[in-house]
């Protein structure tokens, strides 16, 4: 089994005894409310997915991550994992504060080590490669409150979602299934034929696939997680061998930070026990902020040993009528007019109009779910 990032899983979820103590203690602590994104990060810290992080980043961790994609100890880490508050509500370093969600439910406690100012424009330039507020990740960054609080957290277990396995659970499941090599597939979209092809190419050479949809906060126009889960289950039932795939959700928020987020996604999947990670075209990108293969190139900026997990880099793929199969420009020599490819906008238009895209583009069972879902949304 592959070692977690930094050597071991750092688990910060409180057991029932600690939880009872935290609930009692929280009554006397400063009350801080987390955003949806911060709650997503808190869940990942709690279950070990963000190992070696034990909490929200202090300045000592944040600065080198923003500047050079490394934690203070030199380990690769590409995305800030931070908690922001208004200046007037900031607790004193050395104190503890209680962490609540928007509904007023206690979700954890932070041991405040550091309270610090940060430069949003610098973070935007370095992490997102743009200061443009039209970029959804940059927009979320600009909306963040003004000071950051760093320090270890304890996270309450909360309601257990059976569709969301923790790194400890995926690792146990891989072991039970006897998988030694596992490829992780990050997605925030329904899986169409192109992605199915890439996953199956990978499955020809590794033992198992972790289909790992992101279900934290995404852009408003992304397809809801619950609809995507129906698509994945239907696709797997109809077209994949059941004993070669594990479907589990991943509670991270989407940053759309392209290359840097690809590294982040890979480190997280390493913690879940994946040995390989699929990096396709414009991974975690949005609009035209990143070059098609920038995310793949980002992996070359690190020593493979310090990343540990192996990126599997895939080109844009499509069905070719001449080849009569799926392929990419690595495997098909024919002109684009032989290729069945549709823009995302075109596909959405067809689905809204109740039309099935060509079966070479999308499995009809999956497309039907999307058509039904777009009608439900339209009538809602
Ligand atoms: Zn061809």
């Amino acid at each position: 089994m592959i070692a977690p990032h930094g050597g071991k899983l750092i688990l910060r979820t409180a057991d029932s005894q600690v939880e009872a103590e935290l609930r009692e203690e929280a009554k006397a602590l400063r009350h801080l409310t987390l955003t949806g994104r911060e709650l997503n990060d808190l869940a990942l810290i709690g279950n070990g997915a963000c190992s070696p992080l034990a909490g929200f980043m202090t300045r000592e961790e944040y600065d080198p991550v923003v500047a050079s994609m490394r934690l203070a100890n030199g380990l690769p880490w590409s995305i800030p994992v931070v908690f922001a508050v208004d200046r007037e509500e900031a607790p004193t370093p050395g104190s503890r504060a209680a962490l609540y969600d928007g509904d007023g439910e206690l979700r954890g406690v932070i041991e405040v080590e550091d309270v610090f100012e940060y430069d949003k424009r610098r973070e935007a330039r370095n992490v997102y490669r743009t200061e443009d507020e039209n970029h959804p990740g940059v927009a979320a960054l600009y909306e963040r409150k003004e000071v950051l609080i760093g320090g270890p957290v304890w996270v309450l277990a909360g309601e257990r979602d059976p569709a969301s396995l923790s790194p400890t659970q995926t690792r146990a499941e891989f072991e039970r299934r006897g998988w030694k090599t596992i490829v992780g597939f990050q997605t925030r979209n329904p899986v169409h034929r192109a992605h199915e092809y890439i996953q199956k190419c990978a499955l020809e050479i590794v033992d198992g696939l972790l289909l790992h949809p992101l279900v934290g906060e995404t852009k408003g126009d992304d397809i809801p997680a619950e609809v995507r889960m129906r698509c994945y289950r239907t696709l797997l039932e109809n077209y994949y061998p059941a004993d070669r795939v594990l479907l589990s959700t991943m509670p991270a928020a989407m940053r759309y930070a392209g290359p840097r987020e690809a590294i982040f996604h890979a480190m997280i999947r390493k913690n879940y026990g994946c040995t390989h990670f699929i990096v396709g075209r414009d991974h975690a990108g949005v609009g035209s902020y990143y070059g098609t293969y920038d995310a793949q190139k980002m992996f070359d900026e690190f020593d493979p040993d310090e990343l540990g997990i192996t990126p599997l880099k895939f080109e844009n793929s499509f069905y070719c009528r001449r080849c009569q199969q799926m392929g990419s420009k690595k495997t098909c020599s024919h002109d684009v007019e032989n290729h069945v490819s549709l823009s995302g906008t075109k596909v959405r238009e067809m689905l809204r109009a109740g039309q099935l895209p060509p079966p070479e583009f999308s499995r009809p069972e999956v497309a039907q779910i999307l058509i039904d879902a777009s009608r439900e949304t339209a009538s809602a």
Side-chain angles (χ1 to χ4, degrees):
M1 190 70 61
I2 189 170
H5 198 41
K8 62 172 187 183
L9 284 179
I10 306 296
L11 303 172
R12 303 297 297 180
T13 302
D15 61 28
S16 53
Q17 192 197 327
V18 173
E19 174 163 339
E21 291 164 12
L22 292 173
R23 285 189 184 282
E24 194 50 41
E25 182 196 2
K27 294 174 188 164
L29 297 179
R30 177 159 303 195
H31 179 134
L32 299 173
T33 303
L34 283 75
T35 63
R37 286 167 179 271
E38 289 162 345
L39 288 166
N40 291 152
D41 286 343
L42 187 71
L44 295 175
I45 297 167
N47 75 12
C50 273
S51 302
L53 301 185
F56 290 109
M57 289 180 174
T58 59
R59 185 202 297 273
E60 196 195 354
E61 290 165 324
Y62 170 87
D63 274 341
V65 164
V66 172
S68 55
M69 295 191 285
R70 296 202 179 258
L71 292 169
N73 63 10
L75 273 182
W77 196 276
S78 53
I79 294 280
V81 176
V82 294
F83 173 38
V85 297
D86 287 325
R87 199 167 279 113
E88 54 274 20
E89 64 172 345
T92 339
S95 67
R96 287 158 69 95
L99 305 176
Y100 290 84
D101 64 20
D103 297 329
E105 287 290 324
L106 181 69
R107 303 292 288 271
V109 166
I110 183 166
E111 304 171 25
V112 183
E113 271 183 10
D114 201 3
V115 178
F116 60 104
E117 307 274 336
Y118 66 114
D119 180 344
K120 291 183 178 182
R121 299 244 162 217
R122 170 175 172 260
E123 184 176 329
R125 276 194 309 280
N126 286 12
V127 175
Y128 296 95
R129 299 185 179 181
T130 176
E131 294 184 27
D132 183 358
E133 64 193 16
N134 294 311
H135 182 296
V138 173
L141 161 61
Y142 289 171
E143 280 168 21
R144 241 199 242 147
K145 293 179 176 179
E146 47 218 321
V147 292
L148 299 179
I149 296 187
V153 293
W154 281 111
V155 184
L156 303 191
E159 229 172 281
R160 222 185 78 66
D161 173 4
S164 182
L165 303 178
S166 70
T168 309
Q169 291 170 317
T170 53
R171 285 170 171 270
E173 185 60 21
F174 297 157
E175 195 145 309
R176 192 184 71 78
R177 295 185 183 204
W179 294 356
K180 297 208 161 44
T181 51
I182 300 102
V183 65
F185 188 88
Q186 147 71 32
T187 176
R188 64 171 197 273
N189 289 309
V191 170
H192 294 296
R193 294 289 303 272
H195 288 133
E196 177 184 336
Y197 170 70
I198 287 170
Q199 292 164 10
K200 288 182 171 177
C201 284
L203 266 179
E204 295 290 354
I205 57 167
V206 299
D207 299 333
L209 165 70
L210 174 63
L211 181 55
H212 216 196
L214 178 145
V215 296
E217 290 207 352
T218 62
K219 295 191 274 100
D221 60 348
D222 282 352
I223 293 171
E226 171 270 323
V227 175
R228 288 189 279 131
M229 289 302 284
R230 266 189 271 158
C231 292
Y232 303 138
R233 291 198 177 101
T234 300
L235 181 72
L236 295 181
E237 270 164 32
N238 286 283
Y239 298 98
Y240 287 62
D243 59 349
R244 303 281 317 279
V245 187
L246 180 63
L247 171 66
S248 176
T249 60
M250 211 272 288
M254 196 65 209
R255 272 90 171 170
Y256 308 93
R260 276 204 182 219
E261 194 162 12
I263 299 292
F264 177 65
H265 283 162
M267 294 304 95
I268 285 182
R269 272 42 181 249
K270 173 185 173 184
N271 286 331
Y272 278 93
C274 296
T275 53
H276 295 73
F277 183 64
I278 290 173
V279 187
R281 56 180 294 283
D282 199 23
H283 185 103
V286 63
S288 52
Y289 290 97
Y290 310 107
T292 310
Y293 298 108
D294 283 1
Q296 298 183 354
K297 289 179 203 145
M298 189 60 117
F299 285 81
D300 303 332
E301 296 195 16
F302 296 89
D303 183 329
D305 288 341
E306 57 182 3
L307 294 180
I309 189 167
T310 305
L312 297 182
K313 303 173 182 178
F314 284 92
E315 299 256 338
N316 188 30
S317 57
F318 43 75
Y319 183 88
C320 172
R321 295 189 191 93
R322 291 282 303 282
C323 292
Q324 296 192 345
Q325 62 180 13
M326 299 297 297
S328 74
K329 74 174 188 209
K330 282 178 169 174
T331 51
C332 154
S333 60
H334 304 115
D335 291 336
V336 285
E337 53 263 31
N338 297 293
H339 301 162
V340 179
S341 58
L342 300 172
S343 70
T345 316
K346 177 73 190 159
V347 176
R348 278 191 293 273
E349 258 175 42
M350 293 185 75
L351 295 171
R352 264 200 303 271
Q355 294 168 353
L356 289 175
E360 297 86 357
F361 181 86
S362 195
R363 297 293 188 187
E365 298 89 340
V366 171
Q368 193 58 53
I369 292 170
L370 294 170
I371 288 173
D372 295 345
S374 75
R375 288 191 172 155
E376 283 162 28
T377 323
S379 62

